[in-house]
Amino acid sequence: MATKEFKRAARIILVGAPGVGKGTQAERLMKRFPQLSAVSSGDLLRNAVRNKTPLGQEAESHMRSGALVPDDMILRLILSELKSKSWIPPSTSLADAAPALPSSSPSASFILDGFPRTSPQATKLDALIPINLVVSLITPVNIILGRIADRWVHAPSGRVYNTGFNKPKVEGRDDVTGEALTKRDDDGEDTWRARLRKFQETSEPLLEHYERQGVLWRVEGNSSDEISPKLFGEFERRFC
């Protein structure tokens, strides 16, 4: 299938309950539309700490004390990444009174992962760069719980298997290394329900924030395979 050209830059956030398949949809979007890049706040943070940058050292001190990394620090990481790709003017700073005028070039298209998670964070991001599509992924709770119960991981590589639809070649073993698969610590039902409650508390005002801006789009489905075609269609309608 020929790659469709973008008419304008796509700046996207995926929002959904834990286990809904945000990672799967992001991967599929980038495979379908290679112009998209992933900007992960978690990866930026880990890289900064590993490379011992000034910002990384500052963040590490918060992490070692058990404190959350402040929003402004995450925004500075995102700002640095967007500047490095020339997607926003190099003079842009968090102190600017108005949002940057981001590149409208289709090559300046990305999926932002891991931030914002709350409405106040979204407001701070608005002051930096405008997001133009927020996708709310919706799958019934009982479906997600079944998916999590069937999920196994190869922790060293991050490879994920599911005994319902993506089984390993040998039961309980990683396809590549043959090493044992394990359950994620946060895949127990009680843990997941606690995470869901926290997500619901923060996501409702977050989604309301983006609905007021006219960039929120909701999509429902019982599986990633059901959701993906709808997502591709909406994406093409907006950006191609």
Side-chain angles (χ1 to χ4, degrees), residues 30 34 47 55 60 76 94 101-102 130 151 167 222:
M30 289 188 290
N47 290 340
L55 199 52
E60 189 174 25
R76 282 158 59 197
L94 296 184
L101 290 174
R151 181 162 64 188
K167 296 180 180 179
N222 288 345

Side-chain angles (χ1 to χ4, degrees), residues 112-189:
L112 181 58
D113 176 48
F115 193 94
R117 295 181 185 274
T118 66
S119 179
Q121 289 176 348
T123 299
K124 291 181 177 181
L125 183 65
D126 290 344
L128 180 62
I129 189 168
I131 299 300
N132 55 17
L133 176 61
V134 176
V135 179
S136 174
L137 301 169
I138 303 166
T139 294
V141 167
N142 63 311
I143 299 288
I144 297 179
L145 280 173
R147 191 182 296 171
I148 288 173
D150 292 341
R151 181 162 64 188
W152 293 83
V153 299
H154 179 245
S157 69
R159 281 184 287 275
V160 180
Y161 300 88
N162 190 290
T163 54
F165 56 85
N166 180 34
K167 296 180 180 179
K169 294 173 184 175
V170 177
E171 184 177 349
R173 296 286 170 179
D174 177 51
D175 286 353
V176 177
T177 65
E179 294 170 347
L181 300 178
T182 58
K183 299 292 285 184
R184 280 172 31 172
D185 291 341
D186 57 0
D187 271 356
E189 181 173 342

Side-chain angles (χ1 to χ4, degrees), residues 3-215:
T3 300
K4 294 199 174 186
E5 297 296 322
F6 289 2
K7 293 182 295 189
R8 61 192 178 105
R11 298 182 291 272
I12 306 166
I13 294 170
L14 303 180
V15 180
V20 78
K22 294 186 292 294
T24 297
Q25 296 303 337
E27 286 175 9
R28 291 180 178 182
L29 274 172
M30 289 188 290
K31 185 175 181 180
R32 177 72 170 255
F33 306 102
Q35 307 97 311
L36 278 171
S37 300
V39 177
S40 166
S41 60
D43 288 348
L44 295 177
L45 182 60
R46 284 186 287 273
N47 290 340
V49 170
R50 184 171 58 249
N51 295 328
K52 298 189 181 301
T53 67
L55 199 52
Q57 291 176 324
E58 193 178 341
E60 189 174 25
S61 69
H62 285 276
M63 294 158 71
R64 282 181 172 168
S65 69
L68 292 174
V69 177
D71 291 349
D72 282 359
M73 200 172 293
I74 300 295
L75 283 166
R76 282 158 59 197
L77 284 168
I78 295 171
L79 179 66
S80 176
E81 178 73 1
L82 298 181
K83 283 183 181 179
S84 74
K85 295 178 180 292
S86 300
W87 290 349
I88 57 175
S91 59
T92 306
S93 76
L94 296 184
D96 290 345
L101 290 174
S103 171
S104 59
S105 167
S107 63
S109 296
F110 60 86
I111 300 174
L112 181 58
D113 176 48
F115 193 94
R117 295 181 185 274
T118 66
S119 179
Q121 289 176 348
T123 299
K124 291 181 177 181
L125 183 65
D126 290 344
L128 180 62
I129 189 168
I131 299 300
N132 55 17
L133 176 61
V134 176
V135 179
S136 174
L137 301 169
I138 303 166
T139 294
V141 167
N142 63 311
I143 299 288
I144 297 179
L145 280 173
R147 191 182 296 171
I148 288 173
D150 292 341
R151 181 162 64 188
W152 293 83
V153 299
H154 179 245
S157 69
R159 281 184 287 275
V160 180
Y161 300 88
N162 190 290
T163 54
F165 56 85
N166 180 34
K167 296 180 180 179
K169 294 173 184 175
V170 177
E171 184 177 349
R173 296 286 170 179
D174 177 51
D175 286 353
V176 177
T177 65
E179 294 170 347
L181 300 178
T182 58
K183 299 292 285 184
R184 280 172 31 172
D185 291 341
D186 57 0
D187 271 356
E189 181 173 342
D190 290 344
T191 302
W192 182 84
R193 287 191 180 278
R195 292 174 64 209
L196 177 64
R197 284 192 295 273
K198 181 64 176 175
F199 166 77
Q200 290 171 332
E201 288 170 8
T202 59
S203 68
E204 188 171 336
L206 176 67
L207 296 176
E208 287 174 354
H209 173 91
Y210 284 119
E211 188 161 37
R212 286 193 298 270
Q213 295 188 359
V215 297

